Amino acid sequence: EAVLGIGGFGVVYRARHVLLDTYVAVKLMRPSVAKSRPMLPRLLREEARFAARIDHKHVVRVLDVETDDLTYIVMEYIDGETLSALIRQLRPRDERLPLPVVLQILIDACEGLTAVHDLRDADGNPYGLVHRDMSPQNLMIGFDGWTKIVDFGLAKATGKRHTHTGHLRGKLAYMSPEQARGRPLTAATDLFALGVILWEL
């Protein structure tokens, strides 16, 4: 029904789920991008696999995924704004969010990240999952006051696979030194990014 956001590889729409009779967010990969980057459907599948296993009130829930003919992820719809949108609205007026609000946003994000970092496979082995793209664009602030982590497109299971050498992924302004240098990552990378967000706020 409406475009919620546009990224490098796809578009997120608000849609109505007929069976559930509620709004959902649909992340749809653009066909032209999928054809030019054949590895992207696999990455989207991996994103959905990780996100679907995390059941936490501060992490967006994945409801469905399709990666055959039409590549998309169906997620819960969050009625709210990204933190980056809130910052953009306040900046021209030289205003800031009240400190208690800032702290609650960061507390919620830390609780969500704990669920991300503690994620284990069916055998109880830790994935060593790192979000790698913690930024105001990927923190959704609901009008109900909750903050949720979104977009696991760059998430990396440190014990499962590795980024190709020379590929720098994420937003430079929020990168930890080890991420910017292409070194092995841990949960500390995401916490560094949250520290930058706290400083920015």
Side-chain angles (χ1 to χ4, degrees):
E1 293 188 353
V3 175
L4 300 176
I6 300 175
F9 303 138
V11 184
V12 180
Y13 296 92
R14 186 183 73 169
R16 189 154 193 93
H17 197 297
V18 177
L19 293 178
L20 299 178
D21 191 28
T22 187
Y23 285 114
V24 293
V26 180
K27 184 175 184 179
L28 181 65
M29 187 172 293
R30 292 181 303 218
S32 59
V33 175
K35 287 180 181 178
S36 63
R37 302 284 296 276
M39 69 172 187
L40 288 180
R42 179 182 62 80
L43 294 178
L44 194 73
R45 228 178 4 252
E46 193 165 272
E47 173 185 353
R49 181 169 65 91
F50 286 139
R53 291 183 63 88
I54 303 169
D55 182 17
H56 195 276
K57 62 185 178 182
H58 296 304
V59 178
V60 68
R61 287 184 298 119
V62 169
L63 306 175
D64 192 15
V65 61
E66 174 61 58
T67 57
D68 291 331
D69 297 330
L70 190 64
T71 303
Y72 65 84
I73 298 177
V74 180
M75 302 166 286
E76 67 172 312
Y77 170 68
I78 302 170
D79 190 17
E81 296 271 11
T82 64
L83 181 56
S84 61
L86 291 179
I87 293 173
R88 283 197 305 271
Q89 292 170 28
L90 294 172
R91 191 164 285 155
R93 302 193 298 265
D94 198 26
E95 296 179 0
R96 295 185 180 182
L97 292 171
L99 183 58
V101 174
V102 170
L103 295 178
Q104 190 60 59
I105 290 171
L106 269 292
I107 289 169
D108 289 356
C110 283
E111 290 183 8
L113 275 180
T114 297
V116 172
H117 297 152
D118 289 350
L119 186 65
R120 295 174 179 269
D121 64 20
D123 297 321
N125 301 309
Y127 279 112
L129 193 62
V130 181
H131 188 282
R132 293 201 301 169
D133 196 19
M134 288 305 305
S135 65
Q137 291 90 333
N138 290 331
L139 289 175
M140 284 291 302
I141 316 299
F143 293 135
D144 58 2
W146 293 108
T147 298
K148 296 201 178 197
I149 298 171
V150 300
D151 198 348
F152 285 79
L154 295 185
K156 177 181 180 182
T158 56
K160 303 293 181 181
R161 68 180 180 86
H162 300 279
T163 304
H164 297 297
T165 303
H167 287 204
L168 191 63
R169 296 177 178 175
K171 298 177 182 70
L172 190 60
Y174 303 94
M175 281 187 186
S176 64
E178 63 271 21
Q179 185 177 5
R181 291 171 180 150
R183 293 179 178 174
L185 304 181
T186 66
T189 292
D190 291 335
L191 296 178
F192 180 94
L194 280 185
V196 176
I197 294 171
L198 176 60
W199 176 85
E200 185 177 5
L201 293 175

